[in-house]
Amino acid sequence: MGLSAAALLAGPRGRRLCLELALSQRTTESAATEALRTAAFYAAYDLDPGRGTSRVLFGPGVDERSGPPPAPSPQEVARLLDDVPLPSCDERTLLLALQAAVDRAMYWQEPDGEDVLAGSPEMRAGLARVAASVAALPAAAWWAEPVDRREEWVVSFVDTTGSAPVPPRTAREALGAWETAQIEEEALAQRDWPADPAARFGGPWWSKPPNALTKSTRMLPGGVPVGLSFVEDGLGWEDATTERVGVPDGARVYEIDGPDAWAELNRRYPLQVTAARRQVWYLTTGRAGTWVLPNWAQVQRDFDAVHLSVAGYLATAGVAIPLDDERSTVLAGWDPDATHWLCEVTHDEATRQQWRHPRNADKWELSRSE
């Protein structure tokens, strides 16, 4: 699947990207733009599952005397969207919108108000012209590209203790340990966890390969690895190290370029995780039933790596993707343009770079290069 308006509107992350762009206009401020931004804010609040509890309004004018806050409908917001010009999308604005869409991915709870708003039929139609403009941008052309076999970079975020994660001895060992853990976890969940999908019960929510494997991304034209800025469920790291990865000659890479490719991977290498994912994936998708994720230990037999394009991420992440009449799967916990290596790869220490992300800054800064 290439980058198209339909692909961008197919998934919650793609729709959120378009919404962020529609609300990001700062150089063309007008009464229509401000009206759209205000209406979207109150509509998202009204649609948020946590309205009045985990998400509250405060500030001047928000008290008992002022009455209930405005609650514009998605249809009203869509009408206002039609009245504003298309956002001017330079590369920085585009990447900031992508980062916002990734940062707000939460597959362990219901979608937030902005995701609900962007997913309404009225707003999907209103966002269609934004999606079409993004799909036509030269700056977004690489979003549909396969893994960059010429230059891939691994990112190691430094935790609060000042140490980076230590990889396992071999990829095969990591995958074997992961498979055993998944089977044991599912057996425990079947025995002890609630059978009601609507029960308020947490659990694992991701479907990516194990963290112990090497994960890499391409380098942006400005010299910044994609993996520095676009991370689901990030922990606010301020320091990171990057190194170039040696892509093996003839590496067999499975490309996830959209929902169909993700579904096919799950059909070929299914691992049932219904009991362990029952509650969290019901919350995020509204679907109850049998759940599957890829058995990465089996995927390793046929492929050396799995790559998720940005276009594939935006169309697929967070959606209940059907495999057949009974089984579905969710792509969750992945990062756009991530390549997970199921085999051994080398890190070129001579290319090591140290990066710093100052607090309240919107980008990483190179602090030292080997």
Side-chain angles (χ1 to χ4, degrees):
M1 177 184 293
L3 184 64
S4 65
L8 287 169
L9 296 174
R13 305 319 333 133
R15 295 191 292 269
R16 185 60 172 268
L17 166 82
C18 293
L19 179 63
E20 293 288 339
L21 284 173
L23 302 178
S24 69
Q25 302 184 69
R26 300 297 178 187
T27 58
T28 57
E29 291 292 346
S30 66
T33 301
E34 186 56 36
L36 169 64
R37 198 172 290 131
T38 300
F41 173 82
Y42 282 111
Y45 173 76
D46 187 59
L47 294 168
D48 197 290
R51 179 186 55 161
T53 53
S54 62
R55 183 169 181 173
V56 297
L57 296 175
F58 63 92
V62 182
D63 54 34
E64 296 180 357
R65 294 170 296 174
S66 61
S73 67
Q75 186 175 16
E76 291 173 298
V77 180
R79 281 201 299 264
L80 291 170
L81 177 58
D82 289 339
D83 292 335
V84 301
L86 286 171
S88 56
C89 286
D90 56 22
E91 184 178 21
R92 181 174 180 274
T93 301
L94 188 64
L95 293 179
L96 285 175
L98 175 60
Q99 184 174 351
V102 175
D103 286 347
R104 287 156 180 76
M106 295 173 287
Y107 310 118
W108 54 88
Q109 63 181 49
E110 300 99 329
D112 65 16
E114 284 78 7
D115 276 5
V116 177
L117 174 63
S120 65
E122 300 88 351
M123 282 297 290
R124 287 197 197 194
L127 291 171
R129 65 191 184 109
V130 180
S133 69
V134 172
L137 288 173
W142 66 270
W143 289 8
E145 292 179 358
V147 61
D148 187 353
R149 293 176 181 266
R150 302 163 302 174
E151 187 172 19
E152 284 283 303
W153 289 75
V154 62
V155 176
S156 299
F157 293 105
V158 180
D159 63 25
T160 54
T161 64
S163 60
V166 178
R169 199 181 323 168
T170 67
R172 186 175 298 277
E173 289 174 350
L175 288 164
W178 174 88
E179 183 180 32
T180 299
Q182 297 305 304
I183 294 171
E184 292 176 348
E185 182 177 65
E186 182 66 9
L188 172 65
Q190 289 175 355
R191 186 181 70 241
D192 296 338
W193 296 6
D196 180 4
R200 289 290 175 173
F201 190 85
W205 50 267
W206 48 90
S207 57
K208 62 184 177 180
N211 290 331
L213 300 176
T214 295
K215 180 182 70 174
S216 65
T217 60
R218 75 187 64 222
M219 181 79 79
L220 290 171
V224 181
V226 171
L228 274 174
S229 300
F230 308 104
V231 183
E232 281 198 351
D233 195 31
L235 299 179
W237 300 285
E238 296 181 4
D239 295 280
T241 300
T242 61
E243 292 177 339
R244 189 169 179 171
V245 170
V247 177
D249 293 336
R252 303 162 300 168
V253 181
Y254 187 91
E255 290 288 344
I256 303 173
D257 59 1
D260 290 344
W262 175 244
E264 179 59 24
L265 187 67
N266 282 269
R267 291 191 192 101
R268 291 169 64 176
Y269 311 96
L271 179 64
Q272 187 174 143
V273 291
T274 303
R277 301 297 193 282
R278 181 181 284 125
Q279 283 80 28
V280 288
W281 282 359
Y282 171 77
L283 276 178
T284 196
T285 69
R287 177 195 178 274
T290 302
W291 292 109
V292 168
L293 57 77
N295 186 328
W296 299 112
Q298 293 182 7
V299 177
Q300 186 196 41
R301 300 172 187 171
D302 299 318
F303 295 97
D304 302 307
V306 179
H307 171 252
L308 174 66
S309 69
V310 177
Y313 171 84
L314 293 173
T316 311
V319 180
I321 305 295
L323 306 182
D324 48 43
D325 292 340
E326 297 181 356
R327 303 176 301 166
S328 291
T329 183
V330 178
L331 189 147
W334 289 72
D335 303 328
D337 192 49
T339 299
H340 292 267
W341 293 96
L342 309 178
C343 66
E344 308 305 316
V345 291
T346 59
H347 299 187
D348 185 356
E349 296 183 0
T351 65
R352 183 174 298 165
Q353 297 175 332
Q354 304 292 335
W355 294 82
R356 177 78 178 163
H357 194 288
R359 293 188 179 222
N360 302 319
D362 61 12
K363 64 179 181 179
W364 288 84
E365 299 175 356
L366 181 62
S367 58
R368 187 166 64 86
S369 181
E370 296 293 339

